[in-house]
């Protein structure tokens, strides 16, 4: 058993067993973890959104098509990078998938090096998306520790309001504002106002 960490997970969704076997052989030979599915439905029932992964899917399949699969993943707000396998007549459909966010498409018969390059690009994108998700979850966990009043004070700090202005806004004393500021800094593990702004503004950007 290899002790070298796998490079990442590649999901393969294709109703053609020969294509699945070929892709699995190629990708496992390059030390990727490969999970194959013979239909979009079976993939959706077993797909783990917490995994750093990418998806190679055929456009035309029995049952749910690749286009419908992409729509389902979009409904779930999945950041999973996708590349589609397409026949010559499916190029217009493949262009539609790219407009919806697919990273690329490859025509049959495809070149191995082209596919491997796409897989590496997709996994780079998946790692970045996963990292952003983790950072957002961490920020949300920190901000959830604030009381309603502390959240109101933080909102005004971010808006550039001074302590006296915040006190006037909320009908509290300046000393109370200062106490809230100290609590906010402690709860958010912030040493400076700049740290505070990075956390608060980062959370706002993630929700935008």
């Amino acid at each position: 058993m290899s002790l070298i960490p796998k490079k990442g997970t590649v999901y393969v969704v294709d109703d053609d067993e020969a294509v699945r076997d070929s892709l699995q052989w190629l990708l496992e030979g390059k030390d990727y973890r490969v999970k194959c599915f013979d239909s979009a439905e079976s993939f959706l029932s077993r797909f783990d959104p917490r995994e750093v992964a990418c998806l190679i899917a055929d456009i035309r399949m029995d049952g749910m098509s690749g286009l419908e699969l992409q729509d389902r993943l979009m409904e779930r707000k999945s950041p999973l990078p996708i590349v589609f396998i397409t026949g010559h007549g499916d190029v217009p459909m493949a262009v539609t998938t790219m407009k919806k966010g697919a990273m690329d498409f490859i025509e049959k018969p495809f070149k191995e090096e082209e596919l491997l390059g796409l897989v590496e690009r997709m996994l780079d994108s998946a790692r970045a998306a996963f990292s952003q998700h983790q950072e957002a979850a961490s920020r949300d966990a920190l901000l959830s520790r604030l009381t309603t009043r502390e959240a109101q004070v933080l909102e005004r700090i971010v808006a550039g309001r001074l302590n006296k202005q915040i006190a006037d806004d909320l009908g509290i004393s300046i000393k109370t504002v200062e106490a809230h500021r100290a609590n906010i800094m402690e709860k958010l593990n912030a040493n400076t106002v700049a740290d505070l702004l990075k956390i608060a503004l980062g959370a706002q950007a993630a929700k935008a």
Side-chain angles (χ1 to χ4, degrees):
M1 182 177 174
S2 173
L3 297 177
I4 301 171
K6 296 290 183 183
K7 294 179 181 178
T9 298
V10 182
Y11 292 112
V12 176
V13 182
D14 198 307
D15 58 3
D16 185 329
E17 185 178 4
V19 172
R20 293 196 306 273
D21 289 347
S22 173
L23 287 171
Q24 185 164 14
W25 178 84
L26 170 65
L27 293 165
E28 286 185 345
K30 298 296 183 181
D31 209 35
Y32 293 104
R33 183 182 293 107
V34 183
K35 296 183 181 179
C36 292
F37 300 87
D38 61 4
S39 71
E41 291 87 347
S42 63
F43 164 72
L44 285 171
S45 69
R46 294 164 64 188
F47 160 55
D48 184 355
R50 296 165 300 178
E51 198 164 22
V52 176
C54 65
L55 170 63
I56 300 172
D58 196 0
I59 282 189
R60 290 187 186 273
M61 293 184 282
D62 290 336
M64 188 186 298
S65 70
L67 282 168
E68 291 170 317
L69 171 57
Q70 184 183 29
D71 288 340
R72 293 289 181 88
L73 289 170
M74 288 172 67
E75 287 169 11
R76 296 185 183 188
K77 295 183 168 54
S78 169
L80 187 69
I82 308 172
V83 63
F84 284 98
I85 301 171
T86 173
H88 295 301
D90 298 333
V91 171
M93 274 195 288
V95 171
T96 299
T97 69
M98 291 190 69
K99 288 179 179 175
K100 290 183 177 181
M103 284 196 68
D104 213 330
F105 64 89
I106 49 174
E107 288 189 80
K108 301 173 186 174
F110 48 82
K111 296 175 182 174
E112 291 185 359
E113 288 306 314
E114 180 186 0
L115 177 66
L116 291 169
L118 282 174
V119 165
E120 198 49 48
R121 273 175 48 208
M122 286 197 293
L123 286 172
D124 283 344
S125 175
R127 291 182 197 105
F130 186 78
S131 176
Q132 289 169 4
H133 174 76
Q134 293 290 90
E135 288 174 11
S138 176
R139 284 194 301 266
D140 288 346
L142 287 173
L143 291 168
S144 70
R145 299 166 66 184
L146 301 182
T147 65
T148 301
R149 179 63 88 194
E150 287 165 353
Q152 291 171 340
V153 171
L154 176 59
E155 184 182 339
R156 286 160 176 80
I157 293 171
V158 172
R161 306 283 284 169
L162 302 174
N163 283 357
K164 183 179 185 309
Q165 293 171 319
I166 296 173
D168 291 342
D169 289 345
L170 300 177
I172 56 180
S173 70
I174 292 176
K175 281 191 175 181
T176 302
V177 173
E178 290 171 348
H180 283 316
R181 282 184 78 125
N183 286 339
I184 293 166
M185 298 285 280
E186 183 178 348
K187 287 182 178 180
L188 299 187
N189 298 327
N191 296 316
T192 65
V193 174
D195 291 340
L196 205 62
L197 292 176
K198 282 178 189 174
I199 295 167
L201 294 173
Q204 290 174 14
K207 292 175 182 177

